[in-house]
Amino acid sequence: MPGTRDHLATAEVLAGEALAFLRDHQYDMAQVYRDHSDLHLRLAHARHELIGADAPPPREPIVLPPWCGECDGPDLQRRWTSSEKDDGLYRCRSCNPYALSPEDASEVTSS
């Protein structure tokens, strides 16, 4: 679902298009784009009134450390290793930035 920022950005683009049509003396098209811009402004206002502020923007992508070469692969989704202790799979402690030790993982799953 488009957020408030999305509606405002679309309204700005449509207003720019309306201005271009107006300068080109295409008054009917300018009116259509102005109306659509106004619609997106109203949608942004209504969304903000009903839902509140948008969710925060996504975090920056994580920078992966160099692959250790011992786990399943260089992609984050493949940086897993097995434990001989309990035959479980764990994130590689050498190169997966989200890794927990097998002991920490067993505490999390047991609680």
Side-chain angles (χ1 to χ4, degrees):
M1 174 188 290
T4 304
R5 284 186 224 113
D6 300 320
H7 287 303
L8 291 174
T10 302
E12 187 174 356
V13 169
L14 290 170
E17 292 290 326
L19 184 59
F21 281 120
L22 188 62
R23 288 181 179 149
D24 199 30
H25 304 287
Q26 295 182 24
Y27 302 115
D28 291 338
M29 289 300 291
Q31 181 68 37
V32 169
Y33 275 79
R34 188 203 64 82
D35 290 347
H36 278 94
S37 177
D38 183 59
L39 172 66
H40 279 275
L41 287 174
R42 291 172 188 259
L43 288 170
H45 179 72
R47 177 169 170 70
H48 184 72
E49 290 293 316
L50 291 172
I51 298 174
D54 286 344
R59 291 184 284 168
E60 292 294 319
I62 189 164
V63 177
L64 294 176
W67 179 45
C68 69
E70 296 178 18
C71 56
D72 292 337
D75 299 331
L76 180 60
Q77 296 83 1
R78 301 198 57 193
R79 292 186 181 200
W80 292 81
T81 186
S82 59
S83 170
E84 295 175 10
K85 181 179 172 183
D86 62 2
D87 292 330
L89 279 176
Y90 298 95
R91 293 179 174 117
C92 180
R93 292 189 339 191
S94 301
C95 66
N96 190 321
Y98 298 114
L100 292 174
S101 68
E103 294 79 26
D104 293 340
S106 64
E107 287 178 22
V108 170
T109 57
S110 65
S111 56

